Amino acid sequence: MCGRYASTRSPQDLTQLFGVTEWRPEETLEPSWNVAPTDPVYAVLERPAHDGGEKGEVRRELRALRWGLVPSWAKDPKGGARMINARVETVHEKPAYRRAFAKRRCLLPADGFYEWDPVKDEATGKVHKQPYFIHPADDSVMALAGLYEYWRDPDVADPDDPGAWLMTCTIITTEATDEAGRVHPRMPLALTPDHYDTWLDPHHQDTHDLRALLGSPADGRLDALAVSPAVNSVRNNGPHLLDPAT
């Protein structure tokens, strides 16, 4: 699974990297070296224009979504914390994800992600979990394949009230490769730039074609850096979390 990651690039950088045409300054997020479930996260997505634009026109947006997908049919948003990941093997058929897989796909920009490897202390026999920061060797951005969904809050009467809608997301995971596979059997699935357009296009709803984009993680070697156990607590944040473990 992917339960924690780092996302520190500015919205200005992300709009350039992903060709975003619309973002909302009021949704600006602080850099985070310890993104955790239910946190607001940046997502790149495409939606049809609703202001009289040409039919079929879509806009590429940078939005702040809550991590942990809440299906539109859920009675309340509490279950979202358990739906931070969707397995690539079944994402197209699971009731919670299949509609979003067909119509509401996104990219979640990340610097890298964390996984934990159980390590036994030979002196004491105790086992502790060593955190690793897994990231592209060239420090390029990771575009994690994700899905997003809308949930309508029944307690807000006016559907035009921004508080009436909750936008949430999930990260698609796959079998781990490179250094990630040495630490954990699963990893988030990152897409290469040549697949961004097809993945984000809401008019592209052929699930067979879409699944073909998810055949393997993004090209390029990943590095795994053993880091401070300070990252274990979601209360800790800052660049010091990436300091090499001593």
Side-chain angles (χ1 to χ4, degrees), residues 91-142:
V91 66
H92 62 293
E93 59 189 13
K94 289 286 187 180
Y97 304 123
R98 62 190 178 197
R99 289 180 61 186
F101 184 73
K103 299 180 179 181
R104 288 178 286 278
R105 299 173 299 276
C106 62
L107 296 171
L108 303 170
D111 303 334
F113 60 97
Y114 298 96
E115 289 296 354
W116 283 260
D117 183 31
V119 177
K120 184 177 181 180
D121 187 318
E122 297 299 333
T124 65
K126 294 182 178 180
V127 175
H128 72 278
K129 290 188 175 182
Q130 171 61 54
Y132 283 83
F133 182 62
I134 301 169
H135 62 101
D138 60 1
D139 290 326
S140 60
V141 68
M142 295 188 76

Side-chain angles (χ1 to χ4, degrees), residues 75-196:
K75 293 182 179 180
D76 59 63
K78 296 178 182 177
R82 299 190 303 272
M83 300 179 69
I84 60 172
N85 292 161
R87 295 175 66 93
V88 68
E89 296 87 351
T90 57
V91 66
H92 62 293
E93 59 189 13
K94 289 286 187 180
Y97 304 123
R98 62 190 178 197
R99 289 180 61 186
F101 184 73
K103 299 180 179 181
R104 288 178 286 278
R105 299 173 299 276
C106 62
L107 296 171
L108 303 170
D111 303 334
F113 60 97
Y114 298 96
E115 289 296 354
W116 283 260
D117 183 31
V119 177
K120 184 177 181 180
D121 187 318
E122 297 299 333
T124 65
K126 294 182 178 180
V127 175
H128 72 278
K129 290 188 175 182
Q130 171 61 54
Y132 283 83
F133 182 62
I134 301 169
H135 62 101
D138 60 1
D139 290 326
S140 60
V141 68
M142 295 188 76
L144 308 183
L147 310 176
Y148 72 97
E149 191 56 275
Y150 297 95
W151 182 78
R152 175 72 167 88
D153 188 343
D155 293 332
V156 181
D158 183 1
D160 293 326
D161 185 330
W165 299 93
L166 176 66
M167 291 182 71
T168 61
C169 60
T170 190
I171 294 173
I172 297 176
T173 65
T174 187
E175 291 185 4
T177 61
D178 296 329
E179 285 294 288
R182 182 173 62 82
V183 179
H184 194 275
R186 304 288 297 182
M187 66 178 286
L189 201 157
L191 294 182
T192 51
D194 57 312
H195 289 160
Y196 291 175

